[in-house]
Amino acid sequence: MTRSRAFLNLAVMLAAGVAAVPAWAAPGDPGRDKVVAAIHANHDATVERLRDWIKLPTIANMNINHREGAEYMRKLALDAGFQQARVVDSGGVPGVFATLDAGAKQTVAVYFMYDVKHYEPSEWTSPPLEGRIVDRPGEGKVMIGRGAVNQKGPETAFLAALHAFKAAGVKLPVNLVLVAEGEEEIGSPNFHNVVTQPDVRAALEKSVGVFIPSPNQAIDGNVSLLLGAKGVIEVQLVSSGEKWGRGPNKDIHSSLKANVDSPVWHLIKALNTLVAEDGQTPAIDGWFENVKPLTARQKELIAADVAASNEADDMKSLGIKHWYKNEDYLTASYRLASQPTVNIEGLVSGYTGPGGKTVLPGKAEAKLDLRLVPDMTKEEAVSKLKAHLAKRGFGDIEVIVSGGYSPTQTNENSALIKAEQATLAAAKIPMTMSARSAGSWPGVVFTGPPLNMAAGQFGAGRGGGAHAPDEWLLIDSTNPKTAGFDDQAVLYADFLYEVARAGR
C-alpha cells in the first residue's frame, strides 16, 4: 500500500469517526499483525488479481474456457501457497484439487467455483469482463464484473489472506484442502466425481469441515450464518411434433392451426399441471411426501433472522410490494425456508423477433428449476416429475436434466460453525443464523454420504447482482459497519486462527 493510499484510508476513517483499526483487528494470534499489514500492503495486487480472473470467464453451458479456467484455478492455488494442485477430470468441466500442509494439527477444507453465468454486455453499464471500479452511493467503491460477487470476489479475498501469510513469512495455523469446480452454475452435474476420488476424499476426511467464501454481510453490518441450503434441479421440458406424433415436425403456417395440433399448447397444458390454481403450490404427484417440516429450533432461528432484518429494504431490493398471499414477513420467511418450488425460468418457441410471424411452431421448450428441501432428493424429484407427466398423457415430453443436487444441512454445534461464530464474535460483527438458504449450492456433496462433513458459507463484505447485469463487490467501504476487500481477507485469516484454536 502506498503512503498516499494509507494516509487517505486513515483520513476517511477519522472523518467518519471510525477508529483507524477496524473492530475485527483485535485478536493477538502469533504473527497476525504481520499478516494484517501484508493484506493492506498487497491491496492493489489483490484487486488486480480479481480483475485478471474476471477477464477469463468459464461458462459451463456454453463450452467457454473449460480447460483454461481449470488451469487458471490451479495456478491461483499454487501462487497462494498450496504445495500441490492438479486439474481433475470430472466427466464434464474439470475440477481442481489442491493441498497445503502447514504441519498443523487441524485441517479445514475450502470449496471454490470458478465458473460464472453468461452475460449480455449491452445490459451492463460497464463491460462485464473489465472489472471497473465505480462509486456506489452509501456503500463505497465497488468492482463491476461477471463473477465479482459470485464467486470470484470472495474467493480472491480468501486467497489474499493466504498470500499475506506467505508474504509476511508467517506459518499458516491450519492445513488446507481446496476443491474447486467449473459447473456450479449448471447444477454441479459431475462434481461428485471430483470429491470421491480416493486422494481427494482422504484429504477431505481429515478436515473439520468445508466452507465456501461468501460476502454475507447486510448493509447494517449483520452476517447471517447459513446452516443449510435448498437443493436444486435444472431441467428442460421439450415438446415437439416429432416426439409427440401429433402436430408438425417443423414450423408451418399458422392458418393450419384449425386442423393441426400445436406442440406449444401441448407443453403449456403440461406445465399447468405442475402447480395448483394459485400458480404457486407444486402439484406434482407425491411432491410433498418426504418434505420435512421445520423444527422448533429452525423456526426460532428464522424468527431471530427476521427480527434483525429490514422488510422494506428486502422488498425494495427485490422490486416487489407484497409477499405471496400478502403474508407477513415472518410467515413469508418460514415459507421461503420450508417450501419446495416449481419455477419456470424461461419459455422458448417459434418466432420471438420484432413484429409478428404467422407460424405454428413444431417445437417448444421450457426451462425450469425445482428447489428441494430436506428430506427430498434429486433422484426422487426427477422420477416423480416424469411419472406425473406420463400419467396425464404427456409422456412424450422430453425431460432433460442438465444438473442439480439434493438439499444440504449442517448441525449448528459442529466445530466448523462454532469457529465461524467465534470469528465473528471476536470481530464484533453482529450475526444471526439462518436455518436454510433459499438459494442453492452443492454442499450435499460434502454433508451427504460418503463424507458426512460439516459445510457452510462464510465471510463478510458486500456485493450483489449475481446472475444479473452490473454484478458488484464492495472494495473500499465508506460504511463503518461493512467490510471492504482488505477486511474480508483479514476475517478469513482470523477464521483460520480460530479453526486452529478449536483443535488445541
Side-chain angles (χ1 to χ4, degrees), residues 82 96 98 108-112 155 158-159 162 176-180 191 204 207 209-213 441 446 453 492 495-496:
F82 285 87
V96 175
V108 67
V110 57
Y111 162 84
F112 275 19
E155 291 168 352
F158 177 75
L159 294 176
L162 304 189
L176 295 174
V177 177
L178 168 70
V179 283
F191 185 51
L204 289 169
S207 305
V210 59
F211 75 99
I212 174 174
W441 74 291
F446 306 106
M453 301 169 62
Y492 288 127
F495 174 64
L496 298 182

Side-chain angles (χ1 to χ4, degrees), residues 1-2 5 34-46 164 167 486:
M1 180 169 59
T2 64
R5 177 181 171 77
K34 293 181 180 179
V35 172
V36 173
I39 287 171
H40 290 296
N42 292 339
H43 174 89
D44 291 343
T46 301
D486 290 353

Side-chain angles (χ1 to χ4, degrees), residues 142-269:
V142 304
M143 180 181 289
I144 302 288
R146 178 53 88 222
V149 68
N150 183 25
Q151 210 59 44
K152 292 178 178 179
E155 291 168 352
T156 300
F158 177 75
L159 294 176
L162 304 189
H163 277 276
F165 275 98
K166 188 167 67 167
V170 176
K171 191 174 182 180
L172 271 173
V174 294
N175 310 313
L176 295 174
V177 177
L178 168 70
V179 283
E181 67 162 319
E183 292 183 324
E184 197 281 338
E185 297 292 11
I186 60 169
S188 306
N190 298 289
F191 185 51
H192 62 282
N193 293 328
V194 175
V195 301
T196 54
Q197 294 207 10
D199 57 339
V200 180
R201 177 179 172 180
L204 289 169
E205 286 176 338
K206 297 175 183 177
S207 305
V208 297
V210 59
F211 75 99
I212 174 174
S214 300
N216 287 338
Q217 203 166 21
I219 198 166
D220 63 1
N222 184 74
V223 168
S224 184
L225 291 180
L226 301 176
L227 298 177
K230 288 183 176 180
V232 67
I233 302 169
E234 285 204 311
V235 61
Q236 297 163 268
L237 301 186
V238 182
S239 171
S240 66
E242 180 182 2
K243 293 286 185 180
W244 188 18
R246 305 186 66 86
N249 59 12
K250 61 181 180 181
D251 291 3
I252 61 174
H253 199 281
S254 65
S255 63
L256 296 168
K257 178 64 184 76
N259 63 358
V260 177
D261 292 307
S262 167
V264 185
W265 280 112
H266 187 56
L267 176 62
I268 291 171
K269 295 293 186 182

Side-chain angles (χ1 to χ4, degrees), residues 410-460:
T410 287
N411 191 308
E412 66 179 287
N413 295 313
S414 65
L416 180 77
I417 301 300
K418 290 296 185 183
E420 293 178 355
Q421 290 177 295
T423 304
L424 293 171
K428 296 182 173 59
I429 297 177
M431 70 182 128
T432 55
M433 286 194 290
S434 170
R436 183 176 304 134
S437 168
S440 304
W441 74 291
V444 69
V445 175
F446 306 106
T447 61
L451 291 169
N452 301 308
M453 301 169 62
Q457 304 178 32
F458 182 69

